Amino acid sequence: MTEPAVSPDGSVAFPVLDDELLNRLRSYGVPEDVEVGDLAITPGQVSSGLVIVDSGAVDILTAPPGDEVSELVVRHAPGAFVGELNLLTGQRTYVTGRVSEAGRIHRISAEGFRRLMDEDPELSDLLLRAFLARRELLREGPAARSIEIIGSSLSADALALRTYAARQRLPHRWFDSETVEGQVLMTAAGLAVGDLPAVLLPDQVLRRTTSGELADRIGLAYRGSADRVVDLTVIGAGPAGLAAAVYGASEGLVTVLLDSVATGGQAAASSRIENYLGFPSGLSGADLTGRAAVQALKFGAQISTPCRAVDLAVTGEQLRVILGDGVEIASRAVIIASGARYRTLPLERWSEFEGAGIYYAATEIEARICAGREVTVLGGANSAGQAALYLASRGGAVTLVARGADLFAGMSSYLADRLVADQRITVRTGTEVTGLHGAVALEGVTLTDRATASRQDQDCYGLFCFIGAEPATSWLAGQVALDEDGFIRTDVQLDPDDLDGTWESLGRSPLPFETSVPAVFAAGDVRHGSMKRVAAAVGEGASAVRSVHQAIGART
């Protein structure tokens, strides 16, 4: 057993509470005498609640897969509290809390914890800061071995699992099956190549698994009874959906937020956002959306991913969102913020190279795969420019390819200026990618000048595609009014022919952001005429909640 991990900022992760704060915390729980060896936290629990150590001590131990020996993460002494971010996310516990010195604890149930978060802002903020700091320590420390992902670095399915785990900030470790360490782990777990990608959990091995199966096993899939009716269901956890969830939950609406992939949407794929209000030094899209998700959870929103909405049914005044697994969510209002899906090029072998050299995000995961090698960034908007700068900072040669002749036409000038000035980046405007080359993985591309038709082959071990997206609305065809490109039309954009007799019986016209179906709203990139900027999406999501209040208030 190793020594406990030391926090680089212990005052945040493991704050020392005075007697007044401790007494306020205890008032939400019930006392319990404990003996050495008792478990304050059991791995796999849906919710262990918050534990305050009054006397004695509680050790937090890893719960690694297989026969690996547990390691001590931290020892909680009298006056400390035991818990981390899974108290908000609903994720099953993945560590053990074992009493190492007999004493007394106060145990706060999940219901008591929710009441605490609602009623005491000082304690709520203190706990939230500690939970966030602890989660980061757990992600970097031995507890990360509680989830082990094994797969090929050239597998799109493995990349999807890694991306999901990263966006959900799950403590986990990645093992490339083609490395010695990966092969040793596969042998120990009894895995063959055909079992990949695989996930090793403390009590189970998931073979040929998906992010949905992992989410279901660790408690992040949708949870709700068939007769439960929520106030607001938000579909899509990008900036618009996250903003809607924050404002909906903070204003007292029982709010459920769903996403078919993971929290963050396309914004989470951005390596750096510098023009978002309030962050003059910039921040990554993953950080921005990750903070927003925690904010929504703080106010009581339930976030479930990956959960794919496949249909929307209207029964009287009740809406029902049908998920891909057949589960139905009854809701008084719905906000569609499903954003858009990445566009691709009609090139031979494109799908073959997805995840094996073709990527739609430039995060730490993809950058590590391509580190120090030649890459090509495709696109002429801000997302492409941000990706090119980020990838160049990782040491490889970067070529930015844009169809348009003028880089400044589709990109913020501050970003275009940096790209032109950066010696590590070659900018090719008026150019297209017209060919892909490689054996198992992408190794080269063909670039064609649009004006002269001249062609050039060059090495490329990562093609990062940022050429726009199409609205994710195919599941809504025939349900709500769409424009010719599939974007959702709302409020004043709707024609009289779009509105059926329901509106006449309501005695009103569609509210701001309301679709052709009463109490169904749209916000962000999925909406016709939206600005396609993070700040604009946040504003739309927040504003749509105001209309939700008006719509459901008129029905009661």
Side-chain angles (χ1 to χ4, degrees), residues 277-301:
L277 186 68
F279 293 91
S281 299
L283 76 170
S284 72
D287 281 343
L288 177 63
T289 55
R291 294 180 188 187
V294 172
Q295 197 172 11
L297 291 166
K298 169 188 172 181
F299 289 119

Side-chain angles (χ1 to χ4, degrees), residues 10 12 16 37 58 109 113 120 133-134 145 179 196 252 263 269 311 356 372 393 422 443 456 486 490 495 528 532 556:
V12 176
V16 177
V58 174
S109 67
F113 174 73
D120 195 322
R134 290 178 183 185
R145 294 298 297 268
T179 64
L196 304 180
T263 54
D311 201 1
S393 72
D422 197 315
E443 298 173 7
Q456 175 186 335
T490 61
D495 299 323
H528 172 82
K532 311 297 187 290
T556 56

Side-chain angles (χ1 to χ4, degrees), residues 386-463:
Q386 292 157 351
L389 288 170
Y390 176 69
L391 293 166
S393 72
R394 302 305 299 268
V398 177
T399 300
L400 177 69
V401 175
R403 280 173 52 90
D406 182 7
L407 190 64
F408 289 80
M411 189 179 294
S412 296
S413 58
Y414 81 91
L415 198 53
D417 284 334
R418 290 184 187 176
L419 291 167
V420 172
D422 197 315
Q423 298 298 312
R424 302 166 298 183
I425 299 172
T426 301
V427 176
R428 294 281 302 270
T429 56
T431 304
E432 295 179 311
V433 174
T434 55
L436 307 172
H437 315 290
V440 177
L442 184 69
E443 298 173 7
V445 294
T446 299
L447 304 181
T448 301
D449 187 289
R450 300 187 69 202
T452 65
S454 61
R455 297 158 58 91
Q456 175 186 335
D457 291 339
Q458 68 177 42
D459 291 343
C460 175
Y461 297 92
L463 176 60

